[in-house]
Amino acid sequence: MSTIAPEFRLSRFIASLFDIIFWILLIFSLVGLPIVFIILFYIKLPLINGQLLTPYLAMTWLADPSRSVPIIKSFIHTTFFKVAVFPGFGFAALLAAATIFIERKFLAKMQLRVGPLYCGKIEGILQLMGDGLKLMSKEIIIPAKADKPIFWIGPLLFVGTAGAFVSLIPVAPGWVVANPNVGLLAVFATIGFFPIIAVLSAWAANSKWTFIGGLRALHQMISFEIPLILSLLSIVILSGTLNLSQIVESQKHYWWIVFTPISAIVFFITIIAELERIPFDLPEAESEIVAGWLTEFSGMMYGLIQLGTYLKLYAFAGLFTVLFLGGWNGPMVWPPFPEDIVTHGITIGPVTAKFPGLPLFDQEMLNGTLWFVIKTAGVILLILLPRGVFPRIRIDMLLHNGWYKWIGLAFVNIFIALGLLYAGVLGPGGLIH
Amino acid sequence: MSTAVGIIKALNSGVKHLAVKRFTLRYPEQKLKFVGDGFQFNPEAGVGIAGLRGRHILYHEHCTGCQLCAVACEGIAEAIGMVKVNETWKQNKKAIMPQIDYGKCVFCGLCVDACPFYALYMTNDYELSSFTKSALIYTPGQLAIKPKMSQDVEIKIDDRGASHG
Amino acid sequence: MTTQLPPGFELEKVDDRIMTLNVGPQHPGSGHMRLIIKVDGDYIVSCDPDPGYVHRGEEKMAEYRNYIQNIPHLERPVIHDSSNILYPYCLAVEDLLGIEVPERAKYVRVIASELNRCIYTLYWLAIYGIFLGHSTMFMWSAGDRELFIDLLEAMSGARVTHAFLVPGGVRNDLPANFEERCLRQVNYFEKRLREYEDIFYQNPLLKARTEDTGILSRTDAIRLGTTGSVLRASGVDFDIRKKEPYDVYENLDFDTVVMKEGDSYARSRVPYLEMFESCRIIKDALRKMPKSGSVRTKLKPNPKGGNDEVYRRIESGRGALGYYIVSNNRPEPYRVKISVGSFRNLICIPYLLKGEKLGNMPAVYWSLNYWPVEADR
């Protein structure tokens, strides 16, 4: 885009408006209508009050306030909502976007400067939108000798795996996208994919700097996955289950961090290494290897990788909360839904409207979500803090620490946990329960 | 053990600085204050008077068209050219005055040092950007206008740190 | 092969293990020059610096400008340290033309030189932080540098490229309230410098990265002809401000900073400790400065030097900076040779980087205080 704006002419403006309307109509009819038909054919329509809810019926009922609430409620409990909006992608992406903005402002305050300021009227709050629009408008350049299919799917795989990881984290009782009985093992399997993706995209880009960066990413992530897995074994031993929701429920009276603080520290440091954040950001070390395995990604591919990284950040912080800090447990601070709205309805002036089945989300779930968000935000702030304080670590120091010290410390806490279990202090049938 | 202590001290220092004031000048809303009125030169004493070296200001009632400023700039940036003006002044029989091309000027101020008639000074104006190169050439008429610069803040140091306030 | 290679070229055997990396001009870790590094796994086998990307022909261009027009021209190699790069030029021209400089001008020059030295060192420290991945160091140094740039702006009128020192003194007198403002900001700056200790110099991660890397022993430092803080970090006590004092440095009281280890950590610490000494010099000079007096000796129009040659040198942030000027009865000098500290230290880069790990490359390379623009002139 040139920096000198062309002169404004009304005829050109109206021509461009007509152009836009033409394209919208064309795309709507050629693409939108088939999508509507596919939805109508393949999605199971729910049964409400004995009637099959077709879209036409849904729209008639939505206009009638006394009947709209059951429709919304049934939609909220579908799997699609869970995947796309609440504990799944929408919620995580919103938290990730807030994290990016807060990270920039937080680091700026520590470094005695302002951070984003001009985008958006108040202290740069629309900066992220500006960055997203900028990335979308950039040209995606692919090196000539790169391995094109693998290069293209690299960022998509990254976001997909990060999304799979996000889907395993329980936010409130019953609200989790995927709840396998071996949830923690599924987490380990998912994070085992990230080094593969890093090496694939690094190799596919066919350049020396990405090669070095990819190898460093591989070394770093693999050598830190082992202490990560070992440090969580003590939690499994103490709570007796691998299912993440059950681990949270077992923390009703006390949090596991009280009994396994060493594991918590080891886990915290290994997740900073898995996320490639400073002080462990060798794979993206800007001053040595020019952004490492991310060098050749431009435009929206880079945007997808950033999104994936921050989704991973939220997911790891969520995992820390779920395993060590008690997940959604906390005193009930959410006010209960006023009883008379359920029985009498809302009164505005002379009109009284009744909404049967009103509390959309029950109090327990909202309280649990609130505590989960507060704890996760605290953990995220702790993860953001080392970025302003430490320089980058060197690869041989990292490998030395990862293979000797952290594995040793993780084993120490496994022995403590085993000792507490066999002494009859914790676990099912123990003294403290 | 000492590494753990060092790490905690570094984190402590980082967290303490969250309470220190921000130092940045928020530019278009706040602008810096300057001492004085711009760089000036006293040819009799041979010494300048301290001030910001911004855009020049030409006093038409003193300029005699001697071209010493253009001669001084020839070796440096060649930004000053003499042009004919439509004004008649008693001291300027040839009716030529300098025009300055800010695309080439390096703001060194040696032209101000060269002027013996108290006619060319520099002002506090530093916002000289334009959309075309030809708009950067300031004619003697444009150089005669005294700029109004808003000046709001300067560096203030207190207990909680330094800031522009 | 029957074709003859031109002299200086040689055939390079392509090895499976050794990879040639171009830490080139378009690299976030190199500055304005190129390093051709051959890497075997993680160890650097050889390093070949390739300066010259910013060469403008400053010395040749100086022959077409007279002694006063050379001032904005010769300060361009290091724009934010301009007083130090003009200082030996002014001293040399004053020797050539036989000009006496008033006392107050000498003190003002010393203050300007020390302020500029702090500005350059802070900028260098900021980039050192970035090379090691420590973004807070960059932001803090750049922010504190503003304190000095503000002072220099009040003094000379510009934030960089000050063009403040001229043969004969300085171009303008200090503005009103300058002493009090300068003292306040220098005191605050000393307090801020102490805060760098915890987060940067005593940070265990930083020490683990820079200690015992790129060790330059005392004999090697003298043999290779290094200068400046690199020399002082290897245990040689040589500072031109003390050994060959110029202007009023013999009246001011400060110490030379010497460290014995000669590794990257010492080389990064010596300029930091020298900033404390610079603050002492500034405060001392402000106290001892004559309260009034002229700051510039008026020169005859178009001064011409005789058939003469002169060499003067001073201590800048990067090392000994000297000018050798030959004149022959014309307003322009016949030959200006600039001898720059960075170019003398360039020899240390291939010498120190051989055998180092690739991860240590930025730490060692930038700790040598090498400013590419000045080295290329």
Side-chain angles (χ1 to χ4, degrees):
Chain A
M1 292 175 48
S2 64
T3 51
I4 301 182
E7 279 178 49
F8 176 77
R9 294 234 178 97
L10 193 62
S11 56
R12 284 199 207 145
F13 181 63
I14 295 187
S16 67
L17 278 181
F18 275 121
D19 208 16
I20 294 176
I21 293 177
F22 165 71
W23 280 105
I24 289 180
L25 286 176
L26 193 70
I27 292 180
F28 178 67
S29 54
L30 281 184
V31 174
L33 283 178
I35 290 185
V36 167
F37 289 137
I38 292 177
I39 293 180
L40 284 178
F41 281 145
Y42 287 112
I43 298 197
K44 279 205 300 274
L45 298 170
L47 230 61
I48 295 188
N49 294 342
Q51 280 179 295
L52 188 68
L53 187 76
T54 58
Y56 309 106
L57 197 61
M59 283 196 225
T60 350
W61 281 359
L62 275 173
D64 175 10
S66 65
R67 293 170 133 193
S68 58
V69 173
I71 303 177
I72 303 180
K73 225 173 169 176
S74 78
F75 177 60
I76 287 178
H77 287 281
T78 55
T79 319
F80 177 71
F81 184 83
K82 279 193 192 165
V83 167
V85 181
F86 177 48
F89 194 72
F91 178 67
L94 208 64
L95 269 184
T99 307
I100 301 182
F101 182 70
I102 292 195
E103 170 182 21
R104 290 170 76 160
K105 283 300 217 184
F106 178 70
L107 276 181
K109 187 71 164 74
M110 199 175 357
Q111 295 168 351
L112 307 180
R113 58 188 176 92
V114 175
L117 178 63
Y118 295 112
C119 238
K121 268 295 164 197
I122 325 170
E123 294 281 310
I125 209 153
L126 294 178
Q127 177 70 36
L128 217 55
M129 198 176 81
D131 279 342
L133 284 175
K134 174 200 80 158
L135 280 176
M136 279 198 277
S137 69
K138 296 241 175 189
E139 176 188 356
I140 297 185
I141 302 179
I142 306 208
K145 298 225 178 95
D147 191 347
K148 289 190 178 42
I150 301 185
F151 194 75
W152 272 106
I153 62 172
L156 297 174
L157 274 183
F158 192 74
V159 175
T161 319
F165 187 13
V166 163
S167 69
L168 290 163
I169 311 286
V171 173
W175 286 88
V176 57
V177 176
N179 200 8
N181 243 347
V182 286
L184 205 57
L185 273 188
V187 165
F188 296 151
T190 319
I191 48 186
F193 269 112
F194 288 118
I196 304 180
I197 299 174
V199 167
L200 271 183
S201 6
W203 198 269
N206 200 15
S207 138
K208 280 181 198 154
W209 298 111
T210 53
F211 172 63
I212 298 182
L215 285 186
R216 283 187 182 185
L218 185 70
H219 286 151
Q220 174 176 311
M221 291 206 226
I222 287 188
S223 60
F224 273 79
E225 262 172 26
I226 300 185
L228 191 143
I229 296 178
L230 284 178
S231 66
L232 296 183
L233 277 186
S234 44
I235 300 283
V236 174
I237 292 174
L238 287 177
S239 64
T241 162
L242 281 172
N243 187 336
L244 288 172
S245 306
Q246 285 175 7
I247 293 183
V248 177
E249 277 164 20
S250 73
Q251 297 183 57
K252 273 204 177 61
H253 304 287
Y254 44 77
W255 295 349
W256 285 128
I257 197 172
V258 173
F259 293 106
T260 58
I262 305 180
S263 266
I265 296 179
V266 173
F267 183 63
F268 187 73
I269 296 183
T270 47
I271 60 179
I272 300 186
E274 285 285 327
L275 289 168
E276 292 176 13
R277 290 190 67 84
I278 294 185
F280 295 107
D281 75 334
L282 297 103
E284 304 173 9
E286 206 180 284
S287 59
E288 297 166 31
I289 48 177
V290 197
W293 62 277
L294 301 176
T295 316
E296 305 287 345
F297 291 123
S298 51
M300 207 52 201
M301 299 170 83
Y302 183 70
L304 281 179
I305 291 195
Q306 286 298 340
L307 178 67
T309 307
Y310 281 92
L311 282 180
K312 246 168 67 168
L313 173 69
Y314 156 71
F316 269 119
L319 194 65
F320 189 88
T321 314
V322 157
L323 292 172
F324 289 99
L325 293 182
W328 60 72
N329 291 316
M332 188 68 85
V333 287
W334 193 270
F337 202 77
E339 271 300 318
D340 50 324
I341 295 192
V342 180
T343 46
H344 291 290
I346 302 180
T347 311
I348 307 178
V351 179
T352 308
K354 259 183 160 215
F355 296 92
L358 190 58
L360 277 176
F361 299 110
D362 52 340
Q363 184 197 10
E364 194 190 301
M365 175 264 191
L366 286 171
N367 185 48
T369 314
L370 178 71
W371 279 109
F372 180 81
V373 168
I374 292 179
K375 291 176 193 173
T376 310
V379 175
I380 290 182
L381 269 181
L382 272 183
I383 296 182
L384 296 181
L385 185 61
R387 181 165 177 181
V389 177
F390 295 117
R392 194 176 300 131
I393 202 174
R394 208 172 50 208
I395 184 83
D396 59 321
M397 287 158 53
L398 181 135
L399 291 175
H400 185 93
N401 277 332
W403 288 96
Y404 291 152
K405 299 196 182 137
W406 302 124
I407 294 188
L409 276 181
F411 269 114
V412 164
N413 213 353
I414 293 185
F415 294 144
I416 295 181
L418 281 173
L420 283 175
L421 190 68
Y422 282 109
V425 176
L426 289 173
L431 288 178
I432 314 176
H433 192 46
Chain B
M1 202 52 221
S2 66
T3 42
V5 169
I7 290 182
I8 294 185
K9 271 204 197 152
L11 280 171
N12 185 25
S13 168
V15 170
K16 266 199 306 211
H17 279 89
L18 285 172
V20 176
K21 272 199 231 177
R22 296 184 219 248
F23 186 62
T24 329
L25 168 74
R26 295 173 184 229
Y27 172 58
E29 295 135 27
Q30 302 174 328
K31 299 197 185 172
L32 263 188
K33 272 194 217 164
F34 299 118
V35 293
D37 227 357
F39 181 68
Q40 302 170 358
F41 192 77
N42 185 353
E44 233 168 295
V47 186
I49 299 172
L52 186 77
R53 299 208 293 254
R55 177 171 76 74
H56 297 78
I57 181 167
L58 180 68
Y59 289 108
H60 287 218
E61 57 266 15
H62 295 287
C63 179
T64 61
C66 66
Q67 299 190 34
L68 280 176
C69 48
V71 168
C73 191
E74 250 171 38
I76 303 173
E78 296 174 18
I80 302 187
M82 305 301 281
V83 288
K84 272 192 107 43
V85 283
N86 283 338
E87 308 165 18
T88 41
W89 290 95
K90 198 165 53 123
Q91 80 275 4
N92 197 344
K93 298 265 174 9
K94 294 181 274 191
I96 55 174
M97 285 193 184
Q99 82 171 9
I100 303 187
D101 180 4
Y102 284 106
K104 296 188 183 153
C105 173
V106 292
F107 297 94
C108 63
L110 287 179
C111 51
V112 177
D113 286 6
C115 178
F117 295 109
Y118 302 81
L120 190 65
Y121 289 160
M122 291 176 106
T123 60
N124 281 338
D125 186 7
Y126 51 89
E127 296 170 337
L128 300 172
S129 50
S130 80
F131 280 104
T132 54
K133 264 170 82 164
S134 47
L136 280 179
I137 304 182
Y138 276 49
T139 59
Q142 280 175 301
L143 284 178
I145 308 171
K146 204 167 162 61
K148 273 199 201 335
M149 298 297 298
S150 53
Q151 303 192 359
D152 313 301
V153 294
E154 56 177 6
I155 294 185
K156 284 208 191 336
I157 301 180
D158 60 12
D159 287 336
R160 269 185 65 204
S163 65
H164 282 86
Chain C
M1 299 276 293
T2 51
T3 52
Q4 281 284 17
L5 287 173
F9 282 67
E10 54 185 27
L11 282 180
E12 186 185 301
K13 183 163 174 299
V14 174
D15 199 335
D16 270 340
R17 280 181 68 91
I18 299 190
M19 187 160 76
T20 307
L21 289 175
N22 251 331
V23 183
Q26 281 184 331
H27 186 272
S30 78
H32 316 57
M33 68 177 274
R34 183 162 82 131
L35 292 172
I36 306 176
I37 296 188
K38 292 200 184 17
V39 177
D40 170 15
D42 203 29
Y43 286 93
I44 296 180
V45 168
S46 82
C47 164
D48 191 11
D50 187 14
Y53 279 91
V54 208
H55 176 70
R56 277 175 69 205
E58 295 257 340
E59 300 177 355
K60 177 70 179 171
M61 285 203 283
E63 296 171 12
Y64 294 94
R65 291 161 167 78
N66 66 29
Y67 290 108
I68 299 289
Q69 283 174 340
N70 259 326
I71 300 276
H73 168 72
L74 284 175
E75 68 174 355
R76 289 302 192 254
V78 195
I79 51 176
H80 39 227
D81 196 8
S82 76
S83 302
N84 274 323
I85 201 168
L86 283 178
Y87 215 149
Y89 175 74
C90 297
L91 294 173
V93 173
E94 282 154 17
D95 277 354
L96 206 56
L97 303 176
I99 310 171
E100 261 299 316
V101 178
E103 196 60 21
R104 187 172 155 93
K106 290 189 185 172
Y107 278 97
V108 175
R109 274 189 185 176
V110 164
I111 293 177
S113 163
E114 293 304 318
L115 285 174
N116 267 322
R117 192 189 309 270
C118 286
I119 289 180
Y120 173 77
T121 309
L122 280 171
Y123 187 74
W124 170 81
L125 260 183
I127 307 281
Y128 198 56
I130 291 248
F131 277 8
L132 291 175
H134 197 135
S135 57
T136 307
M137 190 63 195
F138 173 64
M139 298 295 177
W140 283 6
S141 299
D144 292 335
R145 195 169 158 252
E146 280 296 312
L147 294 167
F148 290 113
I149 290 193
D150 191 61
L151 285 175
L152 268 173
E153 183 191 6
M155 259 167 68
S156 74
R159 286 165 60 99
V160 288
T161 69
H162 316 287
F164 188 52
L165 270 62
V166 276
V170 285
R171 276 174 74 192
N172 52 276
D173 204 346
L174 300 173
N177 292 346
F178 183 76
E179 281 95 17
E180 165 222 323
R181 190 166 150 187
C182 186
L183 268 176
R184 203 171 36 140
Q185 292 189 355
V186 170
N187 281 332
Y188 177 69
F189 176 65
E190 276 186 326
K191 188 166 78 102
R192 284 284 295 154
L193 265 187
R194 287 191 195 101
E195 292 173 12
Y196 288 4
E197 281 283 338
D198 260 346
I199 209 168
F200 194 63
Y201 283 103
Q202 305 299 336
N203 198 333
L205 288 177
L206 185 99
K207 281 173 115 167
R209 272 202 81 170
T210 52
E211 266 180 352
D212 293 331
T213 60
I215 299 186
L216 187 66
S217 65
R218 190 169 191 271
T219 43
D220 274 336
I222 300 179
R223 179 178 65 94
L224 290 173
T226 53
T227 156
S229 57
V230 175
L231 192 64
R232 287 194 283 280
S234 291
V236 181
D237 180 1
F238 186 76
D239 186 341
I240 298 181
R241 293 176 289 175
K242 285 272 195 203
K243 303 285 180 190
E244 310 167 359
Y246 47 95
D247 268 3
V248 286
Y249 275 105
E250 54 247 0
N251 304 348
L252 301 171
D253 121 81
F254 63 100
D255 302 314
T256 316
V257 176
V258 178
M259 286 180 78
K260 280 196 286 297
E261 294 93 23
D263 55 8
S264 304
Y265 184 69
R267 282 196 293 270
S268 76
R269 209 172 152 74
V270 165
Y272 166 73
L273 294 172
E274 283 182 354
M275 277 201 280
F276 284 105
E277 302 299 322
S278 289
C279 292
R280 267 174 75 184
I281 297 178
I282 295 175
K283 290 198 274 206
D284 208 12
L286 280 173
R287 258 198 310 264
K288 296 187 176 150
M289 184 162 70
K291 294 290 173 239
S292 63
S294 88
V295 290
R296 186 174 183 180
T297 320
K298 229 174 165 176
L299 296 175
K300 293 197 277 295
N302 242 355
K304 296 184 180 27
N307 270 327
D308 218 353
E309 59 191 25
V310 67
Y311 178 74
R312 287 298 294 264
R313 67 176 183 167
I314 63 144
E315 174 86 22
S316 78
R318 290 143 319 271
L321 217 163
Y323 274 74
Y324 174 67
I325 303 186
V326 178
S327 72
N328 63 348
N329 265 329
R330 285 172 60 239
E332 294 96 21
Y334 176 68
R335 168 88 171 105
V336 173
K337 159 100 177 108
I338 315 174
S339 154
V340 179
S342 298
F343 196 66
R344 303 272 166 239
N345 287 341
L346 183 58
I347 188 76
C348 293
I349 297 183
Y351 178 74
L352 286 179
L353 277 181
K354 193 188 269 216
E356 280 290 335
K357 303 190 178 61
L358 184 61
N360 279 333
M361 188 265 292
V364 171
Y365 159 59
W366 196 254
S367 75
L368 290 170
N369 224 337
Y370 176 75
W371 183 244
V373 189
E374 181 193 50
D376 291 344
R377 272 151 294 168

